[in-house]
Amino acid sequence: MKRILILGPGGSGKSTLSRRLGTITGIPVIEIDKVFWQPGLSALPSEEWIKVQRDLIAKDRWIIDGDLGSYDVVEERLRMADTIVFLDFSLLRCVWRVLQRSRERMDFWIWLLTYRWKSRPVLLQKIARHAPQAKLHMLPNPAAIERFLAL
C-alpha cells in the first residue's frame, strides 16, 4: 500500500482512519476537506479541483481521505490509488457521529441522508470503472476497521 484512498459518507471516520493509518505506515496524509473547501465553505471550481488533485496524486506515497459527493471529481484519485478503503457504515452511526462533532449545513445533511441509495452506487461504479487495479476494502463497522489496521 503506497497510494491509499479512503472514502465513505460523512461521519464514518475517514479522517480518523487516515491519521491512524498514516501513523502506522509513515505515509503522508491529505484530508481533502482541508484542500477543497475555500473560505466561507465555497467549493473549488471543477477544473481547478482537477489540477489540485493531479498535484496531490503525483507523489509516490499518500493517504487521501474524503468524499465530496456531487462536488467531487474522484476519478483522478481513483486512477492512481493502489488501495481503496470504503467505510460503508450505517446511516444511524454516521448521523450520531456528525451530531457529536459539529454543526453542518443543510446540503451536507441532504447528502448524508441520501448517501446509501444515491451517492454510494455511483461511487462504487466509478471505483469499478476507474480503479480496477486497486485492492478494495469494504469496512461496514468499527470492528472491521480494527481488523484492517491489524493486517
Side-chain angles (χ1 to χ4, degrees):
M1 296 190 304
K2 292 182 182 179
R3 295 177 171 175
I4 305 163
L5 186 56
I6 301 176
L7 302 168
S12 59
K14 296 178 297 292
S15 297
T16 301
L17 174 58
S18 67
R19 286 189 298 271
R20 288 182 67 193
L21 196 54
T23 299
I24 292 167
T25 63
I27 298 173
V29 174
I30 302 162
E31 188 177 337
I32 288 296
D33 282 342
K34 291 180 179 176
V35 178
F36 178 79
W37 295 107
Q38 303 305 291
L41 284 180
S42 61
L44 272 178
S46 290
E47 290 304 315
E48 188 175 343
W49 179 227
I50 290 169
K51 290 176 188 172
V52 168
Q53 284 187 89
R54 285 181 180 153
D55 289 340
L56 295 174
I57 62 177
K59 298 176 175 108
D60 290 334
R61 296 168 24 115
W62 42 258
I63 298 170
I64 299 178
D65 79 71
D67 188 334
L68 301 169
S70 62
Y71 295 101
D72 211 348
V73 184
V74 71
E75 294 85 353
E76 295 293 322
R77 300 190 311 274
L78 289 172
R79 285 185 194 103
M80 296 300 290
D82 61 35
T83 305
I84 299 170
V85 179
F86 194 107
L87 299 182
D88 200 21
F89 285 18
S90 72
L91 173 61
L92 185 59
R93 182 180 304 275
C94 294
V95 167
W96 176 252
R97 287 178 165 187
V98 171
L99 289 172
Q100 290 181 329
R101 77 170 186 211
S102 65
R103 299 180 71 174
E104 296 290 345
R105 298 183 334 185
M106 184 55 71
D107 59 342
F108 172 87
W109 285 109
I110 292 168
W111 170 68
L112 179 58
L113 294 172
T114 62
Y115 190 89
R116 173 118 350 238
W117 60 270
K118 193 172 179 183
S119 297
R120 182 182 181 274
V122 171
L123 189 53
L124 290 173
Q125 285 178 336
K126 288 180 179 182
I127 291 169
R129 183 178 305 127
H130 300 287
Q133 77 292 346
K135 172 76 172 156
L136 176 61
H137 300 270
M138 298 289 288
L139 307 181
N141 54 49
I145 288 177
E146 295 308 317
R147 287 190 300 274
F148 172 76
L149 290 173
L151 294 176

